[in-house]
Amino acid sequence: MARRKEDPPAGGNAPWMNTFADLMNLLLCFFVMLFAMSTTDTEKYNEMVAAMNNTFSIFDGGATALENGNLISNGVSQLTQLDEYMNSTGRAAEGQDNDQQFDETVGSSVQELAQELDEQMLFQNEELSESIEEAVNESRLADQVEVSFSAQYVQLTMKGALLFDSGSAELRGEALEVLDNVGSILERYSSGTIEIEGHTDNVPISSARYADNEELSSARALSVFHYLVDHTSLDPTRLKHAGMGERMPIADNSTEEGRSRNRRVEIRIYNPAMG
C-alpha cells in the first residue's frame, strides 16, 4: 500500500527550503565577489602604471597590454608582444650604433674636406708667391723684401732698419720707394684680406713717445698702413694692422744679427678662402 506524503508542519517551512536558501545566499556572495574583483579603478591603475614606467622603464611598448588586463589574466598571450618589445629594444640599440657610425663617417668626411681645402689653398698660395717673388725681382727688391707662404697666406717681410730709424715709427725717405713698389704688387695680386704686423727685438725701449716695444711695433704697423691707404688704390676695409712687439721672434735675440731680423714689418696677403 502506498504511503502518503506527510504534510508540512503548520506555520513552518520544509527543511529543503532552508538548505536551498543558504545555497542561493552563498552563490550571490560568490558572484558579488567576482564582480568586485573584475572592476578596476582606471585612473588609479594608470597612475600606478605611469609611476612604474617612469621609475623602472618596464612597461615601454607594453602599457596598452597591461591596461587591457591581458598580461595579468593571461600571461601566455603576451609573449608575442614581449618579443616585439625585445626586438624594438634591439632596434634602438642598433639605431644608436648607426648614429655613432654616421657621426664617425661625417667627422671623417669633414676632416678629408678640410685637408683637401688646405692642400688646395697651399697650392694656390704657392703659385701666388711665385708671381709675387717674380714681381719683387723685377722691381729689384729682392734684398729688401723676403717672400714666403703657407696655406693661409703669402707673406712679404721687410727689415725694420730699412723702414725706420731706431726707436722711431716714422718712415725713412729711402723706404718710400720700396713701399710704393710693394703697394703696386699688392694692388696686382691681393684679392683677400691684407694684414700688416710690426715686430721688434727684446731690447727694452727708452722713449718719451713709446712706453714699450708693444707701442712701438703698433705705431710702425700703423705708419705702413696709412702710407698704403694714401698712396695705393687698396680698399682700406681689407687692410688690418697690429703690433706684436717682441712676442714672435724669428731669430735669436742674443745676437745682433738675430735682433736685426726680429725688427721687421710683415705684410700678409690672406687667401680669399679664409674669408
Side-chain angles (χ1 to χ4, degrees), residues 160-184:
L162 168 69
L163 302 177
F164 309 100
D165 292 328
S166 178
S168 173
E170 293 184 8
L171 291 168
R172 301 178 59 195
E174 295 85 346
L176 302 184
E177 183 179 357
V178 175
L179 286 179
D180 287 336
N181 290 323
V182 169
S184 298

mmCIF file of all heavy atoms in Angstrom, residues 160-184:
data_model
loop_
_atom_site.group_PDB
_atom_site.id
_atom_site.type_symbol
_atom_site.label_atom_id
_atom_site.label_comp_id
_atom_site.label_asym_id
_atom_site.label_seq_id
_atom_site.Cartn_x
_atom_site.Cartn_y
_atom_site.Cartn_z
ATOM 1 N N GLY A 160 113.151 96.044 -40.489
ATOM 2 C CA GLY A 160 112.807 97.282 -39.785
ATOM 3 C C GLY A 160 113.815 98.390 -40.035
ATOM 4 O O GLY A 160 113.455 99.569 -40.123
ATOM 5 N N ALA A 161 115.099 98.013 -40.172
ATOM 6 C CA ALA A 161 116.140 99.024 -40.396
ATOM 7 C C ALA A 161 115.963 99.720 -41.734
ATOM 8 O O ALA A 161 116.398 100.872 -41.914
ATOM 9 C CB ALA A 161 117.523 98.375 -40.310
ATOM 10 N N LEU A 162 115.335 99.042 -42.676
ATOM 11 C CA LEU A 162 115.069 99.652 -43.980
ATOM 12 C C LEU A 162 113.977 100.707 -43.880
ATOM 13 O O LEU A 162 114.043 101.753 -44.527
ATOM 14 C CB LEU A 162 114.659 98.562 -44.981
ATOM 15 C CG LEU A 162 114.080 99.030 -46.309
ATOM 16 C CD1 LEU A 162 115.159 99.711 -47.146
ATOM 17 C CD2 LEU A 162 113.464 97.868 -47.074
ATOM 18 N N LEU A 163 112.994 100.479 -43.014
ATOM 19 C CA LEU A 163 111.819 101.350 -42.954
ATOM 20 C C LEU A 163 111.928 102.451 -41.906
ATOM 21 O O LEU A 163 111.422 103.566 -42.111
ATOM 22 C CB LEU A 163 110.568 100.498 -42.664
ATOM 23 C CG LEU A 163 110.255 99.377 -43.663
ATOM 24 C CD1 LEU A 163 109.040 98.581 -43.190
ATOM 25 C CD2 LEU A 163 110.002 99.960 -45.048
ATOM 26 N N PHE A 164 112.586 102.176 -40.765
ATOM 27 C CA PHE A 164 112.552 103.115 -39.640
ATOM 28 C C PHE A 164 113.941 103.277 -39.023
ATOM 29 O O PHE A 164 114.767 102.355 -39.051
ATOM 30 C CB PHE A 164 111.582 102.611 -38.550
ATOM 31 C CG PHE A 164 110.220 102.234 -39.056
ATOM 32 C CD1 PHE A 164 109.887 100.906 -39.290
ATOM 33 C CD2 PHE A 164 109.259 103.216 -39.299
ATOM 34 C CE1 PHE A 164 108.637 100.559 -39.741
ATOM 35 C CE2 PHE A 164 108.000 102.879 -39.750
ATOM 36 C CZ PHE A 164 107.685 101.536 -39.983
ATOM 37 N N ASP A 165 114.136 104.422 -38.435
ATOM 38 C CA ASP A 165 115.314 104.624 -37.595
ATOM 39 C C ASP A 165 115.066 103.960 -36.244
ATOM 40 O O ASP A 165 113.920 103.667 -35.873
ATOM 41 C CB ASP A 165 115.596 106.122 -37.403
ATOM 42 C CG ASP A 165 116.046 106.798 -38.693
ATOM 43 O OD1 ASP A 165 116.701 106.114 -39.508
ATOM 44 O OD2 ASP A 165 115.735 107.995 -38.877
ATOM 45 N N SER A 166 116.114 103.764 -35.492
ATOM 46 C CA SER A 166 115.999 103.100 -34.201
ATOM 47 C C SER A 166 115.074 103.869 -33.261
ATOM 48 O O SER A 166 115.226 105.092 -33.075
ATOM 49 C CB SER A 166 117.383 102.966 -33.556
ATOM 50 O OG SER A 166 117.300 102.367 -32.289
ATOM 51 N N GLY A 167 114.120 103.167 -32.672
ATOM 52 C CA GLY A 167 113.190 103.768 -31.718
ATOM 53 C C GLY A 167 112.168 104.686 -32.338
ATOM 54 O O GLY A 167 111.458 105.389 -31.620
ATOM 55 N N SER A 168 112.043 104.707 -33.674
ATOM 56 C CA SER A 168 111.131 105.621 -34.360
ATOM 57 C C SER A 168 110.096 104.834 -35.160
ATOM 58 O O SER A 168 110.349 103.702 -35.601
ATOM 59 C CB SER A 168 111.898 106.559 -35.297
ATOM 60 O OG SER A 168 111.003 107.326 -36.087
ATOM 61 N N ALA A 169 108.937 105.464 -35.385
ATOM 62 C CA ALA A 169 107.880 104.875 -36.210
ATOM 63 C C ALA A 169 107.635 105.709 -37.458
ATOM 64 O O ALA A 169 106.664 105.453 -38.179
ATOM 65 C CB ALA A 169 106.595 104.745 -35.398
ATOM 66 N N GLU A 170 108.501 106.696 -37.711
ATOM 67 C CA GLU A 170 108.366 107.497 -38.924
ATOM 68 C C GLU A 170 109.123 106.840 -40.067
ATOM 69 O O GLU A 170 110.278 106.433 -39.909
ATOM 70 C CB GLU A 170 108.933 108.907 -38.679
ATOM 71 C CG GLU A 170 108.114 109.717 -37.683
ATOM 72 C CD GLU A 170 108.638 111.144 -37.544
ATOM 73 O OE1 GLU A 170 109.536 111.512 -38.348
ATOM 74 O OE2 GLU A 170 108.163 111.859 -36.659
ATOM 75 N N LEU A 171 108.471 106.733 -41.199
ATOM 76 C CA LEU A 171 109.082 106.072 -42.351
ATOM 77 C C LEU A 171 110.292 106.868 -42.862
ATOM 78 O O LEU A 171 110.234 108.100 -42.997
ATOM 79 C CB LEU A 171 108.053 105.912 -43.467
ATOM 80 C CG LEU A 171 106.920 104.912 -43.194
ATOM 81 C CD1 LEU A 171 105.828 105.055 -44.237
ATOM 82 C CD2 LEU A 171 107.470 103.490 -43.162
ATOM 83 N N ARG A 172 111.362 106.160 -43.146
ATOM 84 C CA ARG A 172 112.548 106.803 -43.702
ATOM 85 C C ARG A 172 112.307 107.139 -45.175
ATOM 86 O O ARG A 172 111.501 106.507 -45.869
ATOM 87 C CB ARG A 172 113.751 105.870 -43.584
ATOM 88 C CG ARG A 172 114.075 105.446 -42.155
ATOM 89 C CD ARG A 172 115.249 104.494 -42.143
ATOM 90 N NE ARG A 172 116.438 105.131 -42.743
ATOM 91 C CZ ARG A 172 117.521 104.453 -43.126
ATOM 92 N NH1 ARG A 172 117.543 103.129 -43.023
ATOM 93 N NH2 ARG A 172 118.558 105.089 -43.634
ATOM 94 N N GLY A 173 113.000 108.133 -45.672
ATOM 95 C CA GLY A 173 112.842 108.527 -47.072
ATOM 96 C C GLY A 173 113.192 107.404 -48.020
ATOM 97 O O GLY A 173 112.554 107.206 -49.069
ATOM 98 N N GLU A 174 114.240 106.608 -47.660
ATOM 99 C CA GLU A 174 114.654 105.505 -48.512
ATOM 100 C C GLU A 174 113.608 104.401 -48.592
ATOM 101 O O GLU A 174 113.621 103.589 -49.528
ATOM 102 C CB GLU A 174 115.969 104.906 -47.999
ATOM 103 C CG GLU A 174 117.167 105.838 -48.065
ATOM 104 C CD GLU A 174 117.262 106.759 -46.844
ATOM 105 O OE1 GLU A 174 116.244 106.851 -46.085
ATOM 106 O OE2 GLU A 174 118.318 107.374 -46.657
ATOM 107 N N ALA A 175 112.694 104.382 -47.608
ATOM 108 C CA ALA A 175 111.702 103.314 -47.564
ATOM 109 C C ALA A 175 110.504 103.591 -48.451
ATOM 110 O O ALA A 175 109.771 102.662 -48.805
ATOM 111 C CB ALA A 175 111.226 103.116 -46.128
ATOM 112 N N LEU A 176 110.316 104.856 -48.835
ATOM 113 C CA LEU A 176 109.102 105.207 -49.562
ATOM 114 C C LEU A 176 109.040 104.536 -50.930
ATOM 115 O O LEU A 176 107.980 104.049 -51.351
ATOM 116 C CB LEU A 176 109.008 106.720 -49.701
ATOM 117 C CG LEU A 176 109.002 107.507 -48.374
ATOM 118 C CD1 LEU A 176 108.808 108.994 -48.644
ATOM 119 C CD2 LEU A 176 107.926 106.977 -47.438
ATOM 120 N N GLU A 177 110.162 104.486 -51.629
ATOM 121 C CA GLU A 177 110.171 103.847 -52.944
ATOM 122 C C GLU A 177 109.885 102.352 -52.827
ATOM 123 O O GLU A 177 109.173 101.766 -53.662
ATOM 124 C CB GLU A 177 111.517 104.077 -53.625
ATOM 125 C CG GLU A 177 111.586 103.498 -55.036
ATOM 126 C CD GLU A 177 112.918 103.762 -55.705
ATOM 127 O OE1 GLU A 177 113.770 104.445 -55.084
ATOM 128 O OE2 GLU A 177 113.120 103.281 -56.835
ATOM 129 N N VAL A 178 110.433 101.746 -51.774
ATOM 130 C CA VAL A 178 110.184 100.319 -51.548
ATOM 131 C C VAL A 178 108.696 100.078 -51.310
ATOM 132 O O VAL A 178 108.086 99.159 -51.875
ATOM 133 C CB VAL A 178 111.025 99.808 -50.364
ATOM 134 C CG1 VAL A 178 110.666 98.355 -50.061
ATOM 135 C CG2 VAL A 178 112.505 99.947 -50.660
ATOM 136 N N LEU A 179 108.078 100.914 -50.467
ATOM 137 C CA LEU A 179 106.657 100.758 -50.177
ATOM 138 C C LEU A 179 105.797 101.044 -51.397
ATOM 139 O O LEU A 179 104.729 100.428 -51.564
ATOM 140 C CB LEU A 179 106.259 101.674 -49.018
ATOM 141 C CG LEU A 179 106.730 101.239 -47.625
ATOM 142 C CD1 LEU A 179 106.275 102.246 -46.577
ATOM 143 C CD2 LEU A 179 106.197 99.852 -47.286
ATOM 144 N N ASP A 180 106.226 101.963 -52.256
ATOM 145 C CA ASP A 180 105.483 102.218 -53.498
ATOM 146 C C ASP A 180 105.446 100.960 -54.367
ATOM 147 O O ASP A 180 104.395 100.597 -54.912
ATOM 148 C CB ASP A 180 106.115 103.374 -54.274
ATOM 149 C CG ASP A 180 105.861 104.730 -53.620
ATOM 150 O OD1 ASP A 180 104.861 104.835 -52.873
ATOM 151 O OD2 ASP A 180 106.655 105.662 -53.856
ATOM 152 N N ASN A 181 106.599 100.318 -54.497
ATOM 153 C CA ASN A 181 106.649 99.089 -55.295
ATOM 154 C C ASN A 181 105.852 97.950 -54.637
ATOM 155 O O ASN A 181 105.154 97.191 -55.317
ATOM 156 C CB ASN A 181 108.103 98.648 -55.493
ATOM 157 C CG ASN A 181 108.862 99.568 -56.422
ATOM 158 O OD1 ASN A 181 108.314 100.077 -57.400
ATOM 159 N ND2 ASN A 181 110.138 99.801 -56.126
ATOM 160 N N VAL A 182 105.963 97.849 -53.318
ATOM 161 C CA VAL A 182 105.188 96.832 -52.604
ATOM 162 C C VAL A 182 103.699 97.103 -52.763
ATOM 163 O O VAL A 182 102.895 96.176 -52.967
ATOM 164 C CB VAL A 182 105.581 96.796 -51.113
ATOM 165 C CG1 VAL A 182 104.596 95.933 -50.317
ATOM 166 C CG2 VAL A 182 106.994 96.263 -50.949
ATOM 167 N N GLY A 183 103.299 98.378 -52.701
ATOM 168 C CA GLY A 183 101.898 98.733 -52.891
ATOM 169 C C GLY A 183 101.391 98.334 -54.271
ATOM 170 O O GLY A 183 100.265 97.843 -54.420
ATOM 171 N N SER A 184 102.218 98.537 -55.297
ATOM 172 C CA SER A 184 101.829 98.144 -56.661
ATOM 173 C C SER A 184 101.650 96.630 -56.755
ATOM 174 O O SER A 184 100.724 96.139 -57.412
ATOM 175 C CB SER A 184 102.886 98.608 -57.659
ATOM 176 O OG SER A 184 102.999 100.026 -57.661
#
